[in-house]
Amino acid sequence: MADIYWPDLPSDFLADGLSIQPQSNVIRTAMDAGPKKARRRYTARTVHYTGKQRFDNAELIVFKEFYNTVLADGVLRFNFIDPVTQEIAEFRFTDDYIATEIGGLFEVTLPLERL
């Protein structure tokens, strides 16, 4: 597990804003004749989660400080509650977050991968 934990912010994704995409873990090799052979690439694979959360101004400031300073611009791993299993798991960002202002709140898209 990582030494860094999600800060004191909401950890639930919005109901309409979560997508889950397991990453391919299969290598397929063409043969001279017959069907392709397939094998696992690794013993474990990552799963990408893209979710949305809503923060007010103060929460957005806390999040940005966490992302920029604590996670070194999103590079470091951190512990977060898995939205499916509701267990603490290790995650990291796969890309920069996107924050959109909607009616005084900020809807923040979090592109994460579970490790």
Side-chain angles (χ1 to χ4, degrees), residues 13 29 55 65 72 82 91 113 115:
F13 288 115
T29 306
F55 298 141
E65 176 70 18
D82 185 299
F91 285 82
E113 71 179 338
L115 304 169

Side-chain angles (χ1 to χ4, degrees), residues 4 9 23 26 33 39 46-47 49 52 55 62-63 76 80 90 93 111-112:
I4 302 169
L9 291 171
Q23 300 303 293
V26 176
R39 67 175 176 86
T46 61
V47 177
Y49 291 78
K52 294 181 181 179
F55 298 141
V62 170
F63 170 74
L76 301 177
F80 185 71
E90 194 172 60
F93 280 86
L112 304 173

Side-chain angles (χ1 to χ4, degrees), residues 12-18 50-54 107-110:
D12 294 333
F13 288 115
L14 300 176
D16 65 344
L18 177 64
T50 301
K52 294 181 181 179
Q53 293 182 320
R54 285 204 181 105
E107 190 170 272
V108 181
T109 302
L110 306 175

Side-chain angles (χ1 to χ4, degrees), residues 28-84:
R28 288 178 170 55
T29 306
M31 301 287 104
D32 291 339
K36 293 181 179 180
K37 285 193 176 183
R39 67 175 176 86
R40 289 176 76 185
R41 181 176 290 161
Y42 310 108
T43 56
R45 66 176 169 176
T46 61
V47 177
H48 286 192
Y49 291 78
T50 301
K52 294 181 181 179
Q53 293 182 320
R54 285 204 181 105
F55 298 141
D56 61 24
N57 271 347
E59 291 170 333
L60 183 64
I61 290 169
V62 170
F63 170 74
K64 287 168 70 174
E65 176 70 18
F66 175 71
Y67 182 86
N68 294 327
T69 304
V70 177
L71 295 182
D73 293 326
V75 171
L76 301 177
R77 299 171 178 210
F78 62 96
N79 297 317
F80 185 71
I81 297 174
D82 185 299
V84 175

Side-chain angles (χ1 to χ4, degrees), residues 96-108:
D96 290 328
Y97 66 90
I98 299 170
T100 306
E101 193 269 329
I102 298 174
L105 295 174
F106 292 90
E107 190 170 272
V108 181

